[in-house]
Amino acid sequence: MNDRYASFVQSGAGRTLVKRLGLPDPPRLRRHRPGDPLLPGPALLGAATRSQAATGSRAATGSRLVEPVGRILRAAGVELATDDPAAVGDAAAASADTRFGALVYDATGVTDSTELRQLYDFFHPYARSLHASGRVVVLGTPPERCATPREATAQRALEGLTRSIGKEFGRGVTAQLVYVADAGTETSLEATLRFLLSGRSAYVSGQVIRVGTGPATAPADWERPLDGQVVLVTGAARGIGAALARVLARDGAQVVALDIPEAGDELAAVANEISGSAVQLDLTAPNAATRLADHLAARHGRVDVVVHNAGITRDKTIARMNADRWDQVIDVNLSSQERINDVLLERELIPHGGRIVSVSSIAGIAGNRGQTNYATSKAGVIGLVDALAPALADRGISVNAVAPGFIETRLTARIPLVLREAGRRMNSLAQGGLPEDVAETIGWLAWPASGAVTGNVVRVCGQSLLGA
């Protein structure tokens, strides 16, 4: 769907009008293309130091991630600069006139609120030094893992910093906070850093991502991080589902594309385009989960990644909604996911190291007038992630969700103009996302290298002004 306002803003007359009237200014976003470098410029890498109360001095380093992060970025071909050569080693000293592709700060050394000043000292001089669509990533310690209440307080404060930066820097710059557990840092963190710094995360901003422990295997080729993986995508005939099938196949997956029989022609076209296979199945039909499991077992012997994307809307206020509308939405959007998971897990068709990724919605976080059924189902998806992630940790299976905001699809094209424009502009990037933005985020969560990322709900919403 064409965003005519965003196209107009990129013209000479549009630029002038936006500046004079203070109108929303949607930037051109840097999106992933195969072969692109991770960043358009060097990364500035900084780290906090811990104050020594007895002497008033500071330790040389108190941050535990700066060295492994430096190694990850160098291995990814990123040029490194630093404002503290003693902390980062052989990185080049930062120059005032350098345009950076990313600002990356290890804040795990912040153990007291008084030490938060170091974040100001790092970001203040370089806030205007980022390329358009640059990246800001702050690394911290999960507050519940902190040694003292003061440290937990300081680490929780990082959320306000990163979310505010995402709203301040503009020009397509995104900002994220990554809480990292102690064990297996380099192996577990690399996939998340590669995703957040690349164009794959164009429409993801203001997010808090938790990286814990879990089986994480780096691919032989980061351009094909899903090589050899069998991936099921439900609702694959159109929109986000079709984009998912294309992105996952591009990344090396063997895609099993599923949709209802009524969408058979479109489903076949998608499957043929990506050299995948098509399954026509109504997930609300009796024994649908068993029939799907039988098919996967017979054709592939397993399914490495299950992407629950199938969903419907039947919008009415709850006062005007009949029971059928309620039941249909809950069944398709939530209960069918539970039935499929139950059968696939019981039959052990999802192996150790497998992935379950569900599509929630910002409506499940913030609610939405006229969508009580839909919002209930999508909040339930978040509950599914919360419940399953710890339950499946011992089996090495990660469970995550994405929560799209306003995404340019045929469904959003039907929204009345005024509401459609409000949906597009009410986020830090002042535009709607693309189906590919949701697909890229799900792709990252599906990678074998992302096994330490579980129990997360990642919003793909351009940092919407609605919701948490």
Side-chain angles (χ1 to χ4, degrees):
M1 181 170 56
N2 185 34
D3 184 345
R4 294 181 180 178
Y5 174 82
S7 300
F8 172 70
V9 164
Q10 301 300 328
S11 68
R15 301 301 306 163
T16 300
L17 195 61
V18 163
K19 289 180 180 179
R20 286 182 179 176
L21 300 181
L23 297 173
D25 187 6
R28 293 186 186 276
L29 301 183
R30 173 172 63 97
R31 289 187 166 92
H32 175 72
R33 294 176 301 178
D36 280 354
L38 198 64
L39 290 169
L44 179 64
L45 179 58
T49 57
R50 290 179 178 170
S51 62
Q52 304 297 303
T55 64
S57 63
R58 290 193 177 273
T61 182
S63 297
R64 59 186 169 84
L65 298 176
V66 64
E67 291 185 6
V69 167
R71 290 192 292 269
I72 290 170
L73 295 182
R74 289 187 187 95
V78 174
E79 179 186 349
L80 289 186
T82 180
D83 65 340
D84 184 3
V88 183
D90 61 353
S95 170
D97 58 355
T98 301
R99 303 294 287 180
F100 295 105
L103 305 179
V104 181
Y105 192 79
D106 178 4
T108 57
V110 175
T111 59
D112 187 277
S113 62
T114 60
E115 296 170 356
L116 291 167
R117 169 62 187 270
Q118 295 178 78
L119 291 145
Y120 168 85
D121 291 339
F122 177 78
F123 286 108
H124 174 69
Y126 302 107
R128 296 180 176 86
S129 298
L130 277 167
H131 280 278
S133 288
R135 301 288 185 257
V136 174
V137 176
V138 176
L139 304 160
T141 300
E144 66 275 10
R145 286 178 165 265
C146 290
T148 68
R150 281 181 175 266
E151 182 181 3
T153 298
Q155 290 295 315
R156 179 60 177 79
L158 300 176
E159 295 190 26
L161 170 90
T162 50
R163 285 181 169 139
S164 296
I165 284 175
K167 294 177 178 179
E168 286 183 1
F169 280 19
R171 300 183 303 116
V173 172
T174 63
Q176 328 288 348
L177 171 61
V178 183
Y179 283 133
V180 185
D182 294 330
T185 298
E186 279 187 73
T187 303
S188 62
L189 184 55
E190 183 170 9
T192 297
L193 281 178
R194 283 180 174 267
F195 170 71
L196 293 178
L197 296 176
S198 74
R200 298 176 189 264
S201 62
Y203 203 60
V204 177
S205 190
Q207 297 305 288
V208 179
I209 294 163
R210 291 174 178 265
V211 177
T213 58
T217 305
D221 180 0
W222 281 100
E223 287 290 338
R224 293 180 61 82
L226 286 168
D227 250 348
Q229 299 286 291
V230 178
V231 180
L232 169 69
V233 178
T234 69
R238 59 180 72 89
I240 291 172
L244 263 166
R246 296 183 183 103
V247 166
L248 298 174
R250 179 205 68 193
D251 285 355
Q254 185 176 358
V255 176
V256 179
L258 181 150
D259 217 312
I260 57 176
E262 291 83 351
D265 290 344
E266 291 173 290
L267 182 66
V270 171
N272 290 336
E273 177 188 342
I274 63 172
S275 300
S277 60
V279 176
Q280 297 184 27
L281 183 64
D282 182 349
L283 295 179
T284 67
N287 299 319
T290 300
R291 291 162 56 194
L292 174 59
D294 289 343
H295 173 84
L296 293 169
R299 291 287 298 270
H300 306 284
R302 71 187 198 283
V303 57
D304 300 293
V305 182
V306 177
V307 181
H308 293 293
N309 169 71
I312 62 172
T313 57
R314 298 289 185 268
D315 295 351
K316 288 284 185 182
T317 62
I318 196 165
R320 298 184 177 186
M321 184 186 301
N322 61 38
D324 285 343
R325 284 176 178 264
W326 178 276
D327 292 342
Q328 290 171 22
V329 169
I330 299 297
D331 196 25
V332 173
N333 295 3
L334 180 58
S335 299
S336 70
Q337 295 191 22
E338 295 177 300
R339 292 192 294 267
I340 291 169
N341 290 342
D342 288 347
V343 173
L344 295 180
L345 291 169
E346 180 182 356
R347 293 176 58 171
E348 298 185 344
L349 287 171
I350 304 176
H352 186 274
R355 308 281 178 261
I356 298 173
V357 187
S358 294
V359 176
S360 179
S361 169
I362 198 156
I365 297 171
N368 200 20
R369 187 182 187 279
Q371 288 194 314
T372 51
N373 50 0
Y374 184 77
T376 300
S377 70
K378 295 303 186 178
V381 167
I382 295 172
L384 180 151
V385 169
D386 290 342
L388 276 187
L392 296 180
D394 289 344
R395 295 175 62 170
I397 297 172
S398 71
V399 186
N400 296 282
V402 299
F406 187 97
I407 304 298
E408 304 279 2
T409 65
R410 288 191 291 185
L411 287 176
T412 53
R414 299 172 189 160
I415 296 173
L417 176 62
V418 173
L419 294 178
R420 186 165 70 240
E421 282 302 300
R424 284 170 168 161
R425 310 306 163 208
M426 290 180 64
N427 61 74
S428 295
L429 300 175
Q431 60 194 284
L434 301 180
E436 290 76 12
D437 297 323
V438 181
E440 296 283 11
T441 306
I442 290 173
W444 153 60
L445 294 170
W447 295 349
S450 297
V453 182
T454 191
N456 285 262
V457 179
V458 181
R459 292 191 296 158
V460 186
C461 62
Q463 197 178 14
S464 173
L465 304 184
L466 302 176

